Amino acid sequence: MNNQHTPENRPGASSWSQVLWAVALAIVGFGFAVYRYLQFSEAASGIRLSRLERPLYRLAGKWGLITVFILMGLMGAYYAVKYYRTLRK
């Protein structure tokens, strides 16, 4: 018989891998925000920005860079909760 409750048959179904990737995104986002804040407040040693961070730092400054990482963490947390709720249904 055809089982209607398999993830393949439900549109918008999530998997545990999506939840884990979203959690990883949140951890990386918040982790880099804290790390860059410590660097800019001179609690950590020398500032070395990656190639991706340099243009953003030049454009928005240190608080713009930290804000982007906080938004990345919030986005990861939002999607982790969203995927987890979808998975539990």
Side-chain angles (χ1 to χ4, degrees):
M1 300 294 163
N2 192 3
N3 187 358
Q4 296 294 325
H5 298 291
T6 59
E8 296 82 22
N9 294 337
R10 283 187 291 159
S14 63
S15 65
W16 282 107
S17 64
Q18 288 176 317
V19 174
L20 292 176
W21 277 111
V23 168
L25 180 67
I27 290 171
V28 167
F30 289 132
F32 271 111
V34 169
Y35 180 68
R36 291 299 178 207
Y37 175 76
L38 290 175
Q39 273 190 329
F40 292 133
S41 67
E42 298 177 6
S45 61
I47 298 172
R48 292 192 49 113
L49 299 174
S50 70
R51 284 184 150 193
L52 296 173
E53 294 171 326
R54 281 184 217 138
L56 184 60
Y57 179 72
R58 288 183 196 131
L59 181 68
K62 67 180 179 180
W63 290 110
L65 187 63
I66 291 170
T67 302
V68 167
F69 285 128
I70 289 173
L71 289 174
M72 188 171 111
L74 288 174
M75 186 182 71
Y78 169 76
Y79 279 109
V81 170
K82 180 182 172 184
Y83 291 147
Y84 181 74
R85 285 184 180 170
T86 305
L87 188 63
R88 297 303 292 173
K89 285 184 181 181

